[in-house]
Amino acid sequence: MPDIIKLLPDSVANQIAAGEVIQRPASVVKELMENAVDAGAKNISVIIKDSGKTLIQIVDDGDGMSETDARLSFERHATSKISTANDLFSIITKGFRGEALASIAAVAMVELRTRKEENETGTIIVINGSKVETQEPCSCAKGSSFSVKNLFYNVPARRKFLKSDTTEMRHIINEFQKIVIAHTDIRFILHHNDTEVYNLPSGNHRQRIIGVFGKQINPDLITLETETTLISLKGFIGKPESARRTYGEQFFFVNNRFMKHPYFHKAVAEAYQNILPADVIPTYFIFMETDPASIDINIHPTKTEIKFEDERSIWQILMASVREALGRFNIVPSLDFEDEALIDIPVRSSSDTLPQPPGIEINPRYNPFDGDEASMSKPGFIERFERENNANWEKLYTTFEKENESHGIIEKISETGRKFFQVKNKYIVCPVKSGLMLIDQKRAHERVLYEKFLECLNKNEPVSQSELFPIAVELNPADILVLKEIEDGIRVLGFNILFQDKNKVLIKGRPSEFLTSDPAEMLGIIIDEFKTRESDPSLGLKERLASAMAGASAIPYGKILDQSEMENLFDILFACSSPNYSPKGKPVIMIITLEDIDKKFK
């Protein structure tokens, strides 16, 4: 029987490695930007064509490479950051992965121009699909310029599964943001299809965050700073009103490296407990500094999931730090006993007279048994009490009703005889033959609006309410890309928007279905809702948009509904084609049977 184990050719091995490292154009941007940062660059330019499918070019003014280093950099397991296995436990740089450039060169056409400052000439290397086609001296500026063209040109199956240009560009922007926020001492520029997306000069962390996300984020940033022997924390958290229903402005960095850490995210969320609803996510930009030997960054291929030696203690420190910051800015109740100007307590001197008790006037001649008509007349305060009591006796029932409302129970009886209860201003309860029917009011309204919006999209019949004064809104570039992707759809649904310079949008009209009066808030909620449905492959663009619009405009939890509103929602819900589930697939209706109720009383 012949042997069946074979050694793969380098070209095939590199393509397999590329599958782990290079998932999409954003992966290339991340790897090359990190290399530029590690090279000591002070200016880094990122040039993108067709969302990275045609061209990704990273130009830096860092140290550059010699001719030999330039050639070796494309070999597998080649790196300047690691010499021994122990170095893996004290890494402070970014682009130390040995197969990154080899993986990129295996699935694209790559051109590198690089020169060290002390050298008169540089080196140009051209590689296509792992094959070196050119290596010769050239004239170029100090630093390095990587050009990656036609990504996945030789792996058609991989290229086929790339998303739309808008989606891929959003991923590029997300990777760009993670690097630029951490390295504020470097100037970064991002161009896409000859349009400048970002031009970020060097500065401090607050300036960089404002440069990335826009001026509107500045008032919402609360400073965070804590020093301990275990870890150093600094950065910013967002005010509760800036929290959103989707992830996007949540950043953890350790030793200037972006990381994902669900456990630490729970620490931040715990600090906002009883301040934020459960379905919203606070904004935070938290920078951690710790001993590199106390963390392990090699537990995930993308190096974004990091293990800490003492995560439990850091969790406690992080939660306490966020709570302290919220309390310091009067977001949560706090007492400040150090401010001597808060209470002025006068000190009595020996010359001061003691205060006298108030006097009481009495009528010694008053006789309650005197039959005189004047003396039998009711005192004024009794007449006033009875008059008010007679006028306001109907409020006794109102008070009783309010007490029920405070316990979250509202009972209404319709003209048709149907009884509706609203519990905790969240669920509508209606008796039915088999027991009790519970309806989630928000999900029910989402289902109703979803089918209505989907019908509008299919019929192309916009219903818009014009704004008397158009409203200007500034969005970050990633959200601008989402808005451009759904522009045609939201116009059909009633939005009239005009894109202006940079990242500004002018809202000239909006759908009449919306409950909120703030069109800018509407637009933000729609973008957030749309992004949450992005990962659902079962939905087309119209379905995702209709779902986003429904989620943004549905009645919220906590809203008190009167009898007619509950009855109307009940009727139109059961007129829907799929009343049992929300657009997101969550249950809308639940029946508690009489048998279940009887069992509870046994």
Side-chain angles (χ1 to χ4, degrees), residues 260-373:
K260 295 178 182 177
H261 210 295
Y263 184 58
F264 289 166
H265 172 79
K266 289 181 181 179
V268 177
E270 183 77 14
Y272 281 87
Q273 193 177 27
N274 300 326
I275 301 175
L276 290 179
D279 59 342
V280 297
I281 307 163
T283 297
Y284 55 80
F285 305 87
I286 299 177
F287 303 86
M288 302 181 180
E289 294 289 337
T290 189
D291 182 0
S294 68
I295 61 175
D296 183 0
I297 63 177
N298 295 297
I299 63 174
H300 193 275
T302 61
K303 308 295 189 286
T304 56
E305 296 182 13
I306 296 175
K307 181 72 175 175
F308 288 73
E309 275 186 356
D310 193 352
E311 290 186 342
R312 190 175 185 85
S313 296
I314 295 175
W315 194 96
Q316 297 288 346
I317 295 170
L318 180 59
M319 185 189 68
S321 299
V322 174
R323 279 188 173 174
E324 188 270 338
L326 290 170
R328 183 157 30 90
F329 282 84
N330 299 320
I331 305 299
V332 296
S334 62
L335 293 176
D336 187 356
F337 294 101
E338 297 180 359
D339 192 345
E340 297 179 357
L342 287 177
I343 303 175
D344 183 17
I345 302 177
V347 179
R348 186 178 68 87
S349 65
S350 58
S351 60
D352 291 339
T353 58
L354 290 173
Q356 299 297 319
I360 300 176
E361 294 184 3
I362 60 174
N363 180 8
R365 293 192 297 269
Y366 174 70
N367 183 1
F369 300 102
D370 195 338
D372 189 302
E373 185 177 349

Side-chain angles (χ1 to χ4, degrees), residues 107-141:
V107 293
M109 302 174 180
V110 179
E111 177 184 291
L112 167 62
R113 293 175 181 266
T114 183
R115 179 175 72 86
K116 294 182 72 68
E117 186 173 17
E118 61 268 22
N119 295 342
E120 294 183 0
T121 60
T123 302
I124 180 173
I125 296 179
V126 178
I127 302 178
N128 287 341
S130 294
K131 182 181 178 181
V132 178
E133 294 190 345
T134 303
Q135 179 175 350
E136 58 188 21
C138 73
S139 176
C140 62

Side-chain angles (χ1 to χ4, degrees), residues 568-580:
N568 183 53
L569 181 58
F570 182 90
D571 291 337
I572 59 178
L573 172 64
F574 285 97
C576 292
S577 60
S578 302
N580 292 323

Side-chain angles (χ1 to χ4, degrees), residues 193-254:
N193 291 343
D194 300 322
T195 299
E196 185 178 88
V197 180
Y198 281 118
N199 191 333
L200 305 170
S202 59
N204 57 39
H205 280 125
R206 181 182 283 270
Q207 292 169 335
R208 180 56 54 87
I209 292 169
I210 294 170
V212 170
F213 294 101
K215 296 179 181 177
Q216 74 279 359
I217 199 174
N218 187 34
D220 295 324
L221 297 179
I222 300 173
T223 304
L224 175 77
E225 190 167 0
T226 301
E227 291 284 345
T228 70
T229 56
L230 183 62
I231 197 166
S232 169
L233 301 176
K234 61 181 178 180
F236 305 93
I237 58 173
K239 293 180 180 177
E241 55 265 31
S242 69
R244 303 170 75 171
R245 284 188 280 184
T246 57
Y247 289 91
E249 295 171 2
Q250 293 77 36
F251 292 86
F252 280 124
F253 301 91
V254 57

Side-chain angles (χ1 to χ4, degrees), residues 362-391:
I362 60 174
N363 180 8
R365 293 192 297 269
Y366 174 70
N367 183 1
F369 300 102
D370 195 338
D372 189 302
E373 185 177 349
S375 64
M376 288 293 293
S377 63
K378 297 177 182 178
F381 78 91
I382 295 179
E383 287 185 349
R384 185 173 68 255
F385 175 80
E386 289 189 351
R387 186 167 60 250
E388 291 178 354
N389 191 40
N390 289 333

Side-chain angles (χ1 to χ4, degrees), residues 38-97:
D38 287 342
K42 292 301 178 185
N43 294 277
I44 299 175
S45 295
V46 181
I47 301 166
I48 306 295
K49 298 283 188 183
D50 301 325
S51 300
K53 298 174 183 177
T54 302
L55 172 68
I56 300 171
Q57 185 177 9
I58 312 292
V59 182
D60 70 72
D61 60 354
D63 294 335
M65 289 181 279
S66 66
E67 181 180 2
T68 302
D69 285 346
R71 179 64 185 86
L72 285 175
S73 66
F74 288 97
E75 296 294 332
R76 293 191 70 193
H77 311 305
T79 179
S80 62
K81 319 294 171 55
I82 301 171
S83 300
T84 67
N86 288 333
D87 292 341
L88 289 169
F89 301 99
S90 59
I91 293 170
I92 59 174
T93 56
K94 310 291 183 301
F96 65 89
R97 184 186 286 108

